[in-house]
Amino acid sequence: TCRTWHRILADPSLYTHITLDDMEFNTLVACLQQLCRLAPRIRSLRISNCHSSFISKTTVPVQNTSIMHHFPQQPGMHSLYTHITSFTLPRRREEYRKLGFTLHQDFSRALVVLMEQSQESIKCLEIQDNFLDLEMTELIFCIVRYGRHLEHLLYDANKDGGFVAPEVVSAITAACPNIKSFRGQHAISDTVLRRMMTGWEDLTSVTLAPYQSPSMGTKEVSLEGLWSLLECGKVETLELLDLSCISNENVRNMMLRVKHLQATGFEHPANPAFDTDHPFSHLASRFPSLSSSFSSHQQTPPTARLLPGASVRHLTLTKYTSTPLTLPGFGALLKLFPNLETLKFTTNFFTYDHQFQGLTKDIYEEEILMVERMIRGEMSDRWTPERTCWSSDWHAPVTEEQRLRAGMMRPSY
């Protein structure tokens, strides 16, 4: 290009909202390196649908000591092969080093520079649907070191599955105090959730899902942990992905708790004009000049407290391996979250067939019709036909975990 165009294209102010989508790993790294040279002050960075042919296709040998013992003279039979990403982190690092694959280091160096340059401006970081083995990079270090001003953090559906250690989520909570939206399937326990609620005062959007703990198997937020989150009255967008604590009985119990709180006068009037205990407070509406004198005697008015669940406007539920909801559960759910504007539900027949003995496809389809009819009837005053805010998928594909469980439960002969 001419010098004028080159000068325009090199203007850092053009690069404030960056989206890097559907790229091979080496192309992605090259783009990040070029951005570093431009030295922009990025406000948002999105990396999605990127991949690596090398990572997806590379297999490495695994020594088989049993075969070596029986066939010591045939070394070609001593090895089995497995995908490189199936190894632990130290072993993967060693295998990448042997094969001369350095893109993880290149990615880390570029991201560190870019985040450091933009640490005062970057508000949003989204990394989604990538097959890149990002656990090998310095991504978490970058978030903790340079993400103090982050407000929206999405890390979801990547090869490593999320931030898999509660300590990582705790570190992010301490290092990034301004988070408003934290999305993705991460290792969030009751303890971590409490830290998030106290550390992130402006948190309005969060995802809760089970995670694998190396020492204790599958873990997730408990019913009391979820109740504490709802009690805070701050979260407006809530994703509850395959949680065991979301069941007919538990949702009904939470709904009854809310009814009890409502009956005992839990909610306070918001911002009262004056102290209602003042002996002449009843005259303030007729004599406005008295309002100021009442106010001078007034203590700080109590902040209005929402009932648990009342703050939630957007709710996403999935059910695959945990106890599914049926018609009574959905009815209690709508009462627990009375101000919903959107509701999304995803499941499949396998979920219900696993839980209910003798369930047939016909019974399942009838249950779907009853739930759909009930929800649309209950929400008719809030949702219009032109604005469909109820979204459901009752026939989602069977997940890998469901297939694994089906194989484990299959009788052997």
Side-chain angles (χ1 to χ4, degrees), residues 46-50 126-134 154-163 183-186 207 239 241:
R46 177 179 175 83
I47 300 174
S48 61
N49 299 297
C50 295
E126 298 183 358
I127 301 179
Q128 188 173 27
D129 295 308
N130 300 290
F131 196 99
L132 295 176
D133 197 7
L134 293 173
L154 168 66
Y155 188 82
D156 190 38
N158 298 294
K159 165 62 186 67
D160 55 8
F163 302 139
R183 306 283 293 277
Q185 300 189 44
H186 307 306
T207 302
E239 287 186 322
L241 306 185

Side-chain angles (χ1 to χ4, degrees), residues 281-291:
S281 62
H282 64 287
L283 300 176
S285 61
R286 299 184 182 180
F287 300 94
S289 60
L290 296 179
S291 296

Side-chain angles (χ1 to χ4, degrees), residues 156-173:
D156 190 38
N158 298 294
K159 165 62 186 67
D160 55 8
F163 302 139
V164 296
E167 296 79 10
V168 170
V169 183
S170 295
I172 293 174
T173 304

Side-chain angles (χ1 to χ4, degrees), residues 125-345:
L125 179 62
E126 298 183 358
I127 301 179
Q128 188 173 27
D129 295 308
N130 300 290
F131 196 99
L132 295 176
D133 197 7
L134 293 173
E135 192 178 13
M136 286 286 299
T137 71
E138 298 297 329
L139 172 65
I140 294 174
F141 167 79
C142 289
I143 295 172
V144 172
R145 179 66 179 84
Y146 303 114
R148 179 170 180 78
H149 295 284
L150 279 176
E151 296 179 358
H152 305 280
L153 179 56
L154 168 66
Y155 188 82
D156 190 38
N158 298 294
K159 165 62 186 67
D160 55 8
F163 302 139
V164 296
E167 296 79 10
V168 170
V169 183
S170 295
I172 293 174
T173 304
C176 309
N178 300 306
I179 292 291
K180 298 178 180 178
S181 174
F182 187 64
R183 306 283 293 277
Q185 300 189 44
H186 307 306
I188 300 177
S189 62
D190 285 355
T191 302
V192 173
L193 185 60
R194 284 193 295 270
R195 291 172 183 166
M196 290 167 57
M197 289 187 293
T198 56
W200 291 340
E201 296 181 355
D202 298 322
L203 182 68
T204 59
S205 177
V206 67
T207 302
L208 301 179
Y211 67 96
Q212 293 297 318
S213 172
S215 59
M216 303 181 65
T218 302
K219 292 192 66 179
E220 63 178 61
V221 169
S222 69
L223 175 63
E224 293 306 319
L226 175 60
W227 176 255
S228 298
L229 178 66
L230 299 181
E231 277 188 312
C232 287
K234 298 184 296 184
V235 174
E236 298 178 1
T237 300
L238 183 60
E239 287 186 322
L240 304 176
L241 306 185
D242 216 13
L243 293 182
S244 296
C245 65
I246 298 297
S247 64
N248 283 6
E249 182 180 1
N250 287 343
V251 173
R252 180 177 179 275
N253 288 338
M254 286 192 289
M255 182 265 293
L256 292 177
R257 286 190 193 183
V258 171
K259 281 191 172 182
H260 176 72
L261 290 173
Q262 199 168 21
T264 55
F266 177 82
E267 290 182 293
H268 299 291
N271 299 321
F274 48 81
D275 187 356
T276 55
D277 293 330
H278 193 284
F280 299 105
S281 62
H282 64 287
L283 300 176
S285 61
R286 299 184 182 180
F287 300 94
S289 60
L290 296 179
S291 296
S292 59
S293 64
F294 295 147
S295 300
S296 63
H297 297 288
Q298 174 193 355
Q299 295 180 352
T300 303
T303 303
R305 296 178 63 191
L306 293 174
L307 288 166
S311 65
V312 179
R313 298 291 189 271
H314 310 281
L315 179 64
T316 298
L317 290 175
T318 66
K319 283 290 180 180
Y320 291 110
T321 59
S322 60
T323 304
L325 294 176
T326 58
L327 185 64
F330 282 102
L333 190 76
L334 294 181
K335 292 180 174 63
L336 177 62
F337 301 107
N339 298 315
L340 285 180
E341 297 175 5
T342 62
L343 174 58
K344 182 178 180 181
F345 180 68

Side-chain angles (χ1 to χ4, degrees), residues 319-320 346-350 364 393-399 402:
K319 283 290 180 180
Y320 291 110
T346 306
T347 189
N348 55 37
F349 175 73
F350 183 94
Y364 182 64
D393 183 359
W394 297 85
H395 303 284
V398 176
T399 65
Q402 286 180 317

